[in-house]
Amino acid sequence: IRIERIVSLGHASPDGFWYDQDQAEWVLLLRGAALLQFDDEVQPVPLKPGGFIDIAAHRRHRVTWTTPDEPTIWLAVHYD
């Protein structure tokens, strides 16, 4: 496994960019707020502190928004 702390401030993935990772990823939002968009879903998934999501390997996703006025802090666990 690989564990990382990610800090975003008003971050969004570039237009047309999708994460397509070889490993699954469990993400916990610790601070701030975010919207995640999945290639196979119409509506983005909102995350707020304490919210988490498990993303299967090769499930295309992108960050569409994070709070611009405070850091958004994520804990990401990448695993096989």
Side-chain angles (χ1 to χ4, degrees):
I1 69 170
R2 180 170 50 93
I3 300 171
E4 67 179 325
R5 178 181 174 261
I6 302 165
V7 179
S8 306
L9 183 61
H11 172 80
S13 300
D15 288 339
F17 174 81
W18 295 92
Y19 290 99
D20 186 351
Q21 301 167 158
D22 292 333
Q23 289 186 304
E25 180 181 10
W26 182 83
V27 179
L28 171 66
L29 198 82
L30 300 171
R31 181 177 171 189
L35 292 174
L36 290 180
Q37 181 69 55
F38 290 91
D39 190 28
D40 60 352
E41 293 185 18
V42 175
Q43 295 297 319
V45 176
L47 289 174
K48 60 182 182 178
F52 61 90
I53 192 161
D54 193 32
I55 305 169
H58 296 291
R59 185 170 183 208
R60 289 171 30 114
H61 62 284
R62 59 192 310 272
V63 177
T64 58
W65 175 86
T66 63
T67 50
D69 54 345
E70 71 172 318
T72 296
I73 301 175
W74 318 70
L75 178 67
V77 180
H78 302 267
Y79 65 95
D80 289 323

